[in-house]
Amino acid sequence: MNLHSAETQPGGSDDYLVSRSRAWFAFAMTFALMLFDYIDRQIIVSLFPHLKLAWGLSDKQLGALVSIISIVVALCGLPVALLADRVSRVKSIVVMAAIWSLASISCMFTRNYGQLFAARAMVGVGESGYGSVGAALIASLFPRRLRSALLGAFFAAGSVGAVLGVMLGGVIAERWGWQAAFGVVGLPGLILALLYLLVPDYETVALTPRLENAQQSAKNFVKHIVTALSESRTVWWTCMGAAFQLIVVSTVWAWLPSYFNRFHGAAPDVAAKQAALIVLCGALGAFIWGVVVDKAASRQRRHKLFAMATLCVVTLLVFLAAFGGTGPGSQQFMLIAFGGFLMTCTVGPAAGIVLDVVHPGVRSTGAALLSLFQNLLGLAVGPFVGGAVSDAWGLQTALAVMPVFGLLAAACFVLAARSYESDLRRVADVSMDAAPEGSRPSAALA
């Protein structure tokens, strides 16, 4: 796939919405914020050994410090995205980035588990709409032919951020204590939030006449939005499949540092670096599989979903071999790394498929629906349930069992393939325009 293909004139069927340079600037800034989003979110997993020693926490309590962010993101994501869809994507992102950065910094001042848990919940408040709103912005500024690859790269920033968070957390904690780690990673987000005001937005898209009439009442408007989104079986099955696969991803992300520490005797900072390499494989996989899935759809679009289903099953088999056997450490590490490369296969394509079939006027809201499923039924489940299984039967058993959720993901993607092409046809004729520079956002929600 050529990510630098010749730019066609605005108004074509598959063009850049703004100039190519402005679109790529928007992508770079959105990518950078996603990077620090996940640095702030995942830094805590490398601090688990320090927290367990300092406060005597169980694995379930440690897992909850990761899961609470996903729960809050799931609960707050839809209203934030709904507001962003009708007001301003860019200004919404600026506010969210400032909130999560300040909340991350506040974690360094906590003195007990309850305070840290509350601070982590506030990080989730700030991050609640970022992934969905950022994805909608990228999907709208770039041609559809680049959508899965670019969204894969965007969400790969989450994997890269998780790598940096895990590595930085381990190194900073060893030198200056675990509290300092939160302060060091929180400041860059504030700087990026201010710079994000330079990013181009797209004009708020006119809705259907029936939906415009529904705006006269906030209650009717929200009800109509839900009805519009629920009409697409592709959206619902894709959201479910993406969530199930993220159970696998979040389990591996949260518990690998502890696994290398407990089962291979690695010091906490060394274990963090080893786990970071696996997460980095996932970052690469998120982009590569986005390109591969796009290529799979060159003849028939629903082949995207069949490709994703196949990759989910292969991921399960690789992790079963890695954690279910007793092979040499080097062989096991290679299997885990290969599984890490595979497990993020749905991240970009799932977002691209959902954004393909929802009305552009509620694109952030559609992405937020995906985010709700991913966070509440995916990212929140893996660390907490994995920790509970670890408390009951051991961490290695937990890491061998949790990837079975990939089978459910595969089944959901197969079901989504049945309606994907018909749902695409329903929104094929909707047009979009770039927002004029310096203009105020239009069509604010009354």
Side-chain angles (χ1 to χ4, degrees):
M1 174 175 291
N2 180 11
L3 297 182
H4 302 280
S5 53
E7 185 175 357
T8 56
Q9 295 297 317
S13 60
D14 193 28
D15 302 334
Y16 288 87
L17 192 65
V18 295
S19 69
R20 189 163 64 177
S21 61
R22 294 186 72 212
W24 282 103
F25 173 73
F27 176 80
M29 289 297 300
T30 310
F31 182 96
L33 268 182
M34 186 61 141
L35 189 75
F36 282 96
D37 179 341
Y38 270 82
I39 288 176
D40 292 355
R41 181 185 289 209
Q42 289 297 123
I43 192 170
I44 200 165
V45 302
S46 62
L47 307 179
F48 279 178
H50 300 279
L51 289 166
K52 196 175 186 70
L53 180 63
W55 293 341
L57 304 180
S58 69
D59 284 352
K60 185 163 62 175
Q61 287 176 306
L62 292 171
L65 292 172
V66 180
S67 296
I68 185 58
I69 290 183
S70 299
I71 292 170
V72 173
V73 168
L75 295 176
C76 299
L78 273 172
V80 169
L82 181 60
L83 184 63
D85 257 332
R86 310 319 304 159
V87 181
S88 170
R89 275 64 49 188
V90 168
K91 292 180 181 178
S92 298
I93 288 173
V94 169
V95 172
M96 286 184 286
I99 291 173
W100 90 57
S101 298
L102 290 171
S104 182
I105 293 170
S106 75
C107 292
M108 71 185 295
F109 302 108
T110 59
R111 293 296 178 263
N112 56 55
Y113 179 77
Q115 292 175 0
L116 182 58
F117 187 86
R120 295 285 293 171
M122 284 304 300
V123 174
V125 171
E127 296 179 358
S128 57
Y130 177 66
S132 55
V133 179
L137 190 64
I138 291 170
S140 300
L141 297 181
F142 284 87
R144 179 183 295 173
R145 64 183 181 274
L146 305 180
R147 191 168 290 166
S148 289
L150 287 177
L151 288 173
F154 169 58
F155 289 112
S159 298
V160 176
V163 169
L164 294 174
V166 171
M167 292 182 66
L168 289 172
V171 172
I172 296 169
E174 285 297 316
R175 295 187 179 184
W176 298 296
W178 63 264
Q179 293 95 337
F182 295 109
V184 171
V185 301
L187 183 59
L190 290 175
I191 298 172
L192 285 171
L194 293 175
L195 293 174
Y196 205 86
L197 290 169
L198 301 175
V199 168
D201 202 350
Y202 61 86
E203 188 77 17
T204 298
V205 180
L207 303 171
T208 62
R210 187 161 58 102
L211 192 48
E212 290 286 2
N213 291 334
Q215 284 196 86
Q216 303 306 315
S217 163
K219 180 179 178 180
N220 289 341
F221 180 68
V222 173
K223 181 179 178 181
H224 192 98
I225 290 289
V226 172
T227 302
L229 292 174
S230 65
E231 290 175 349
S232 171
R233 288 181 296 169
T234 304
V235 167
W236 291 100
W237 284 121
T238 302
C239 287
M240 287 296 297
F244 285 134
Q245 185 63 12
L246 280 181
I247 293 176
V248 182
V249 175
S250 61
T251 301
V252 173
W253 277 9
W255 291 110
L256 267 187
S258 295
Y259 177 78
F260 290 135
N261 173 247
R262 298 179 196 178
F263 286 83
H264 293 279
D269 59 327
V270 175
K273 292 176 183 177
Q274 291 174 334
L277 290 175
I278 307 301
V279 180
L280 188 59
C281 291
L284 178 62
F287 174 71
I288 295 296
W289 296 121
V291 175
V292 169
V293 170
D294 270 344
K295 290 293 186 182
S298 59
R299 292 187 178 180
Q300 198 167 5
R301 289 181 174 178
R302 64 176 180 171
H303 287 173
K304 285 186 180 183
L305 289 142
F306 294 135
M308 292 161 63
T310 302
L311 290 166
C312 289
V313 175
V314 175
T315 302
L316 164 63
L317 296 177
V318 171
F319 278 137
L320 283 176
F323 294 111
T326 56
S330 59
Q331 180 181 355
Q332 184 194 41
F333 187 86
M334 293 302 296
L335 280 172
I336 296 173
F338 185 46
F341 176 68
L342 288 165
M343 69 182 180
T344 54
C345 59
T346 66
V347 172
I353 288 166
V354 170
L355 294 171
D356 281 346
V357 299
V358 298
H359 189 286
V362 289
R363 188 165 273 168
S364 292
T365 309
L369 181 66
L370 172 62
S371 178
L372 186 152
F373 276 80
Q374 288 176 319
N375 282 279
L376 193 61
L377 301 180
L379 295 174
V381 171
F384 183 78
V385 174
V389 174
S390 175
D391 283 337
W393 295 296
L395 185 54
Q396 181 149 343
T397 299
L399 288 169
V401 168
M402 296 297 286
V404 174
F405 281 97
L407 282 180
L408 296 176
C412 290
F413 292 135
V414 169
L415 291 170
R418 297 181 177 182
S419 56
Y420 178 49
E421 292 180 348
S422 60
D423 284 345
L424 276 174
R425 289 191 288 270
R426 292 194 301 115
V427 296
D429 297 329
V430 180
S431 61
M432 298 183 67
D433 293 299
E437 293 188 54
S439 68
R440 300 182 63 181
S442 61
L445 180 60

